[in-house]
Amino acid sequence: MTSHSESPVAPADPGHRASVPTRRTQRERTAQAEQALLDAAETLFAERGIDQTSLADVGQLAGYSRGLVSHHFGSRAALVERLAERIQNRFVTELADADLIDTDMDAVEVLAQFVEDYLTAMVGHAQTGRAFLVMWGAAIPADAALRPVFAIDDARFRLGTQTLLRAGQANGTVADSVDQEATAAVVVGMVRGIAAQYLIAPKAFDLPTAARTCRQFLRNSLSPQRDDRPT
């Protein structure tokens, strides 16, 4: 059995200044443990689902005890919330910061590129995408503890889309007739639905073609008619 105690150290060469390993701070050790636990939870949720994963399972896969999982997160619901936040930030931070985009950008092209990138990321990191969609689905029941978590995350996603559409209407790259709120809901549903279908049955359709079709759909639906563009 491997021991974690220190190994004997040979006497140092008087002419050689030995390097002293940098000790990690408590904060660094805590952050490392939290990320390892979240990684383990992501793996297990993607493989088994939430209900079939216990805190003990998460701790075991991460190499820690169940007690440490409880110490870091308190409950499985809190663990799920933290993981959902991490994954959502990974996928939608770019769109949430859409108000920082240059005012002269073509908002339709920015949104179309984001949709394509989102789909690529969701399936390119299939385990992460699957874990996210498992958690998102678990928020649907009326009494689900996750409902508030995903309601906030989805609202953030829609708000980023609305902000981008508003900027596009201001600079003439999005038609004035476009309803920002309804379109944002359609965009979220489009990317989540396509990603879910692909993760369930990846051979059912060609994802790059679906992504290009989304881009064309957004151009046709959101761009102003040629006669309406500012001169």
Side-chain angles (χ1 to χ4, degrees), residues 114-194:
F114 172 80
V115 166
E116 188 168 340
D117 291 345
Y118 184 97
L119 290 173
T120 300
M122 283 286 278
V123 301
H125 305 282
Q127 176 178 282
T128 301
R130 184 171 282 108
F132 176 80
L133 290 170
V134 165
M135 292 186 291
W136 190 54
I140 293 175
D143 295 329
L146 287 175
R147 286 190 77 190
V149 175
F150 281 93
I152 292 172
D153 285 342
D154 288 353
R156 178 175 173 232
F157 195 163
R158 291 193 301 271
L159 181 60
T161 305
Q162 291 175 54
T163 300
L164 183 56
L165 293 170
R166 188 178 307 113
Q169 287 178 329
N171 69 15
T173 57
V174 173
D176 290 337
S177 59
V178 169
D179 184 297
Q180 299 165 13
E181 185 175 293
T183 301
V186 168
V187 169
V188 174
M190 179 167 62
V191 295
R192 295 270 174 81
I194 292 173

Side-chain angles (χ1 to χ4, degrees), residues 20 50 62 71 109 118 144 154 170 191 221:
V20 179
I50 296 174
H71 173 73
E109 289 304 314
Y118 184 97
D154 288 353
V191 295
S221 302

Side-chain angles (χ1 to χ4, degrees), residues 23 26 56-57 100 108 112 159-160 169 181 219 222:
R23 292 179 62 87
Q26 179 62 38
D57 293 333
L100 302 179
V108 174
L159 181 60
Q169 287 178 329
E181 185 175 293
R219 286 172 176 161
L222 305 180

